[in-house]
Amino acid sequence: MGRVFGRRHAPTTRDDATRRDDAAPRDTRLGEAVWETHLPRRRVLAVVRNLASATRMLDVLPVFHGDPRVGVEFTVSEGSAFGRELPELLRDIDARVVPWRDAVRRGGRYHLALATSANGGLHRLRPPVVVMPHGAGHNRLVEAASGSADVASGLAAAQLLHRGRVVPARLVLAHEEQLERLRESCPPAARVAVVAGDPCFDRMTASLPLRDRFRRALGVRPGQRLVVLSSTWNGGSLFGGMPHLLARLTAELPVDGFRVAMALHPNVWDRHGAYQIEGWIAEALNAGLLLVPPRDGWRAALVAADAVVGDHGSVTYYAAALGRPTLLAAFADAEVDPASPMAALGRVLPRFRPSEGLLGQLEKLTAPVDVPDAIGMRGRAAENLRALLYGLLDLDPPANPARLRPVPPPEPRGARDVTALNVEGEVHGDRIRLDRYPAVLDDHAPDLLDDPHLVVDEGEADERLLSSADVVVRADPPEDPEAWGADVLARHRGAEIAAVTLDDGATLVVLRDGTRARAEGADASLCASAAYVLLVSGRPLAGSFTVTAGPREFRLNVTPPPPENRGVR
């Protein structure tokens, strides 16, 4: 069918629909309808299977918003291995959910069913079924789902046919290339296929004007670059094959110049749970990694990103399609249809080289210029889907334009302050340069600096870091700052400096020999490192300096503390 939006398999004729509307139940003799405040003329059943399919369903359903003629109810098809998180989402949106058994048994009450997965016994439903993808096209070889080891999931005959009959009334595709593969894998289903575009991608492009807002929500400061790490599910993914890599990738980037966020496939969250995931990647979280929630956060993160490090999942494809510089840290070729755009993308994107540092590879990374197209009719998915679905409902579409909402701002979880930093610095005249990296004590910690000093927050839980600290800092003002400084240096014999925030926002710097100084212009950690660089260079703790830390630059003024703060020696 290609791009034709017909009304084949429409559930009723307009005359039938009129008779049914005239006979709509409105009294107690016709059952539970008496309890309804409003009776829609058409009822749509939204069939979801797991968190990934549900979030894509929520991309499509807004084509009905604002139209009281159409009512939507949800049901969860049985059999998914990744359904644990789904009830929470449906509760959060306060959807009316019909048990699957009732949806099958009472299917005559629905005029249309929408599904974002070809699996789950859709042949048992009575209304016409429209099947839509829940990824960037059809790229993945999942034999357990499709029944085929060499056909992409969603295009396999075992998923689309039941006893020789095509199950979907319409099969929505994102691009003509998927239709070509479908003609080979399941010719009967190709006759009901419609190329309509990708509402998920259209929502991201509609959100591009919100990029700055999303970056602020992720804590990205002006001048910083946001790197998004992305992992699909299964053992060949970035997270599945190399979970330790997350800490290394985060710790290899200077904290002043970069912010790092992680987007995991919803199936990973569903299978393992947030508690376990955060436990596994605690080292990366301590190094400053942000976890992006699995519903909408990943899309906002891609809009906000300056670069993406991914694998063979849909998020990687979307990143490249949005023009984001993209690096492959993993790519399970055996899990990808070799005829798909994802496989072609895997052949053109650069691969991460573990023997080299991430920073240097990011510096050379450019936006992909040859992204195989898996998304057709860009910007038109909403109008195409509305025309298709209203045609099947035998209703005239609303007069207002079809729109897809921008994605909401991200709400990252797991955000932690970096409490230990390896810092290297140098002073030239009145200028001080600082390079600061997360300090991660494990076998994967990179050796990035020649002669760093270690700055550790007093609240750091790892005693190994505190015992090795050259500088100990405190961000909140104590009752007696000078007494605190003396006590810290007495307890941590390896430290040369203690630095603490004062009530007025300045920093008190205390040296082991009793010297004290007041530093103004930045937080306690930056002031302390600048003081340490002056100390080891033999310079006095006095004067005015321009300090650069990545893209940040500030004027640091170092003076003796007022006489009333000199009481403790």
Side-chain angles (χ1 to χ4, degrees):
M1 286 187 60
R3 301 181 180 180
V4 178
F5 294 91
R7 286 206 286 257
R8 185 181 175 193
H9 297 291
T12 63
T13 65
R14 190 170 297 277
D15 289 342
D16 290 337
T18 302
R19 285 194 293 271
R20 180 162 55 202
D21 291 341
D22 292 342
R26 297 195 182 275
D27 58 46
T28 56
R29 293 173 299 172
L30 295 175
E32 64 184 46
V34 69
W35 307 114
E36 299 194 30
T37 299
H38 172 72
L39 286 175
R41 291 172 57 186
R42 299 287 188 272
R43 294 183 188 272
V44 174
L45 182 67
V47 184
V48 294
R49 187 168 169 81
N50 49 42
L51 191 58
S53 72
T55 55
R56 296 308 178 89
M57 181 66 71
L58 297 178
D59 287 338
V60 175
L61 292 178
V63 302
F64 298 125
H65 285 182
D67 189 349
R69 298 174 300 169
V70 180
V72 177
E73 296 176 352
F74 285 75
T75 191
V76 179
S77 62
E78 299 172 341
S80 175
F82 303 106
R84 186 179 63 87
E85 296 276 347
L86 191 51
E88 181 181 355
L89 181 148
L90 295 174
R91 283 194 300 270
D92 286 350
I93 66 172
D94 201 13
R96 176 167 179 171
V97 181
V98 179
W100 175 250
R101 180 180 299 179
D102 290 349
V104 171
R105 180 172 56 86
R106 303 172 59 199
R109 72 188 253 109
Y110 301 105
H111 303 82
L112 189 64
L114 307 181
T116 42
S117 171
N119 298 318
L122 300 179
H123 64 277
R124 301 177 61 193
L125 297 174
R126 290 176 59 185
V129 178
V130 176
V131 176
M132 300 166 286
H134 60 268
H138 297 279
N139 302 303
R140 198 80 174 259
L141 299 175
V142 186
E143 186 174 4
S146 66
S148 173
D150 54 6
V151 176
S153 181
L155 302 180
Q159 295 173 293
L160 301 173
L161 303 180
H162 180 69
R163 296 180 178 176
R165 181 182 68 86
V166 178
V167 174
R170 291 291 186 272
L171 178 62
V172 177
L173 304 174
H175 193 274
E176 292 282 355
E177 71 82 21
Q178 296 158 31
L179 182 59
E180 293 302 317
R181 284 188 285 146
L182 180 64
R183 289 184 177 127
E184 295 183 7
S185 62
C186 187
R191 292 193 287 270
V192 301
V194 177
V195 177
D198 187 333
C200 175
F201 184 77
D202 284 357
R203 287 189 72 192
M204 283 187 280
T205 56
S207 305
L208 290 174
L210 304 177
R211 173 178 165 85
D212 288 345
R213 184 182 306 178
F214 293 168
R215 289 171 69 84
R216 287 193 297 271
L218 291 167
V220 181
R221 295 190 302 268
Q224 277 188 313
R225 285 180 282 176
L226 174 64
V227 177
V228 175
L229 311 180
S230 170
S231 177
T232 187
W233 61 283
N234 215 337
S237 67
L238 188 159
F239 182 73
M242 297 175 288
H244 62 273
L245 189 62
L246 304 185
R248 174 185 166 182
L249 294 179
T250 306
E252 284 192 6
L253 298 177
V255 297
D256 295 298
F258 288 86
R259 195 78 163 139
V260 186
M262 179 77 209
L264 291 168
H265 192 283
N267 288 356
V268 182
W269 291 90
D270 189 280
R271 194 67 174 176
H272 301 293
Y275 178 82
Q276 178 64 88
I277 290 170
E278 291 182 15
W280 280 336
I281 66 170
E283 200 172 69
L285 295 174
N286 291 338
L289 180 71
L290 297 174
L291 264 178
V292 177
R295 296 185 191 175
D296 282 302
W298 66 268
R299 293 189 274 203
L302 287 190
V303 171
D306 295 291
V308 174
V309 180
D311 55 18
H312 57 290
S314 291
V315 175
T316 303
Y317 180 85
Y318 283 130
L322 284 171
R324 302 294 180 256
T326 306
L327 186 67
L328 290 175
F331 199 89
D333 295 275
E335 295 181 15
V336 180
D337 182 351
S340 69
M342 192 70 223
L345 185 66
R347 292 190 287 269
V348 300
L349 288 181
R351 303 289 178 108
F352 172 70
R353 297 178 296 278
S355 60
E356 301 178 23
L358 175 62
L359 181 59
Q361 294 180 63
L362 288 178
E363 296 291 351
K364 299 174 185 176
L365 200 60
T366 59
V369 295
D370 187 19
V371 180
D373 200 355
I375 303 170
M377 311 183 80
R378 297 188 179 194
R380 295 171 55 189
E383 61 183 85
N384 289 342
L385 287 169
R386 185 162 75 171
L388 171 67
L389 299 180
Y390 273 87
L392 291 169
L393 288 171
D394 203 20
L395 288 175
D396 293 326
N400 59 296
R403 293 187 181 94
L404 295 173
R405 294 173 297 177
V407 301
E411 298 179 0
R413 60 178 297 149
R416 304 178 187 176
D417 293 329
V418 180
T419 55
L421 294 166
N422 281 317
V423 185
E424 189 171 71
E426 58 182 6
V427 55
H428 294 287
D430 66 346
R431 301 190 68 87
I432 299 173
R433 179 188 56 80
L434 301 174
D435 294 318
R436 306 195 304 162
Y437 291 81
V440 180
L441 289 179
D442 70 351
D443 293 338
H444 311 293
D447 183 14
L448 297 167
L449 304 173
D450 293 329
D451 187 22
H453 61 270
L454 179 61
V455 181
V456 182
D457 187 272
E458 183 190 30
E460 169 62 51
D462 192 333
E463 183 58 37
R464 296 175 301 168
L465 289 167
L466 276 170
S467 64
S468 303
D470 299 294
V471 177
V472 178
V473 298
R474 175 171 171 168
D476 60 305
E479 183 175 345
D480 186 336
E482 293 200 359
W484 174 87
D487 177 66
V488 163
L489 293 174
R491 286 187 288 114
H492 301 288
R493 304 301 299 178
E496 295 294 331
I497 289 178
V500 60
T501 302
L502 300 174
D503 288 328
D504 62 0
T507 297
L508 177 67
V509 177
V510 181
L511 303 189
R512 180 160 294 282
D513 66 1
T515 302
R516 286 155 170 76
R518 175 186 172 90
E520 298 177 272
D523 60 58
S525 180
L526 281 166
C527 289
S529 282
Y532 187 91
V533 172
L534 290 172
L535 176 67
V536 297
S537 65
R539 301 278 294 271
L541 286 187
S544 184
F545 304 89
T546 297
V547 181
T548 58
R552 305 172 70 180
E553 184 171 286
F554 59 93
R555 195 67 179 170
L556 178 70
N557 294 309
V558 183
T559 59
E564 61 268 22
N565 288 336
R566 295 187 178 184
V568 179
R569 302 291 291 183

